[in-house]
Structures are given as structure tokens and as C-alpha cells.
Amino acid sequence: MRQPLTREAISKAARDILVAEGLHAVSLRRVASSLGVTAPALYAHVVDKRDLLQGIAEQEIDGLLDRFRSVKSDDPVEQLRRMCHEYVDYGIRNPDLFRAMFLFRPELTSEGRGDRTALTAAIHEAFIATAREAAERHSLDGSDPGLAALTAWTAAHGVVTVLLSGPPLEIELQNRLAEATINAALTGMRHGALVAA
């Protein structure tokens, strides 16, 4: 017996196709076929392909935020470090999903739907909340919390982008690159290098 058709079920089916075959393979027709329905049946839950991809992105960002919440430390700067590593790990383990969410902007942003700010606001807020806590505990040594949050996120995002776009690297070197880049960013925070102008 077929499961009820919901936005969540549609997004999951689209995600499975994206992971298995890449972003180019995702279409309303393919998703409908995988669910045993016709494409018009999807329109009660998604507007178009862009909305379909937005549904994938929403689910993935929720999962990434769960990963952030799963790593805890009494030191909020250490918490930022662990969040950065979770971000890198997610990107490396889910390259097609990461590209669809963060690198293929035209596919996910158009005419107000899937706006980049709306898509990533929750991730940004998670980094800012942790950086603010670090500032309240005087762990940032005078660094601006907003800039510190963006710096941490930029370091993690940059590592994933290089690893997905650059030459193939051995796993050990990938790990060393992530560690060195994230540590460099956080060391700057602890030494007051990120002071608001």
C-alpha cells in the first residue's frame, strides 16, 4: 500500500534521486514516478522544481543543525570548532547535497523563493549564538561575535569548497587541511584579531 503523499515524502524521494544520480536527474516527473504517482499529483505539495529542491535543502539544513546540537563543550570556542568540523564532515560525506544547497545558486534561488539568506539563516544563527556565548564568557578576547561567527563559518565552508572543487587529496591531508584552517580561524578569535571596526 502506497504511503500518503506529503511534502516530506516528496522531498525525501527527490533527495534519494539527487544523491544517487546528481542534481541534473531531479525532476518532478522522476520524483512522481519513484513515488508511483503522476507529476500533477505533486502540485498539491510543491510548486515547481525549485520548490522541490528547496524542500530538500530545508530537510538537510535541519539535519545539519541537529549535528551542531549533538556536539557539546563547556568552552564555546571549542563548540565553534566542533561545529565547523561537523559542517566540513557533512559537506564531504554529502557532496551533491552540499553543492545543491550552497554552490548551485541558480537552481535554488529565484524570484524570492529559496533566497540564500532565508536558506542559510538558521546556520548563521547557530554560529552567532555560540559566538555570543563565547563573548559573554570572555573567550573571544575582544573579538566581535558576529564577525567571529562569520569567520568560523567561512573557514569551514572554504574547506569544503576546496575539497569538492580542488584536486583529489588523501583523507589524511583532507583532515589536516580542515584542522589547520579551522584552528587558524579560532586562534585569531582567542587573540582578539577579529575586533569590530
Side-chain angles (χ1 to χ4, degrees):
M1 186 175 179
R2 190 171 40 114
Q3 295 294 317
L5 198 59
T6 64
R7 183 176 174 87
E8 291 73 22
I10 293 167
S11 295
K12 182 182 182 307
R15 180 193 190 278
D16 291 344
I17 293 170
L18 191 156
V19 170
E21 302 177 46
L23 182 61
H24 68 279
V26 179
S27 70
L28 291 171
R29 186 180 301 275
R30 281 291 309 280
V31 172
S33 176
S34 73
L35 292 169
V37 299
T38 60
L42 303 184
Y43 291 127
H45 306 280
V46 295
V47 176
D48 54 19
K49 179 178 177 178
R50 215 167 264 113
D51 190 32
L52 181 67
L53 294 172
Q54 176 75 9
I56 298 173
E58 289 166 357
Q59 287 187 352
E60 292 304 304
I61 286 175
D62 284 346
L64 188 53
L65 292 173
D66 285 341
R67 291 178 69 142
F68 287 169
R69 287 188 282 266
S70 73
V71 292
K72 296 294 181 186
S73 173
D74 292 335
D75 177 1
V77 175
E78 173 63 16
Q79 177 73 12
L80 276 175
R81 188 185 74 79
R82 294 181 185 182
M83 288 168 62
C84 287
H85 280 287
E86 287 296 326
Y87 190 91
V88 171
D89 184 67
Y90 172 85
I92 298 309
R93 291 179 184 272
N94 302 281
D96 289 321
L97 289 165
F98 187 88
R99 289 186 184 101
M101 287 178 4
F102 299 114
L103 303 183
F104 292 160
R105 297 268 44 93
E107 291 290 344
L108 290 179
T109 60
S110 178
E111 300 173 1
R113 285 197 308 277
D115 177 74
R116 180 177 184 177
T117 302
L119 188 65
T120 58
I123 293 175
H124 186 202
E125 184 53 41
F127 277 103
I128 285 181
T130 306
R132 284 181 183 143
E133 184 181 352
E136 289 168 4
R137 295 190 187 188
H138 307 288
S139 299
L140 289 183
D141 196 21
S143 294
D144 175 62
L147 184 56
L150 285 172
T151 300
W153 186 11
T154 299
H157 191 83
V159 169
V160 179
T161 302
V162 167
L163 292 179
L164 295 185
S165 306
L169 302 177
E170 297 291 334
I171 295 296
E172 181 185 354
L173 186 52
Q174 290 183 22
N175 292 336
R176 287 171 56 201
L177 174 64
E179 191 71 28
T181 304
I182 293 165
N183 284 348
L186 297 184
T187 297
M189 293 177 199
R190 287 192 186 275
H191 290 88
L194 302 174
V195 180

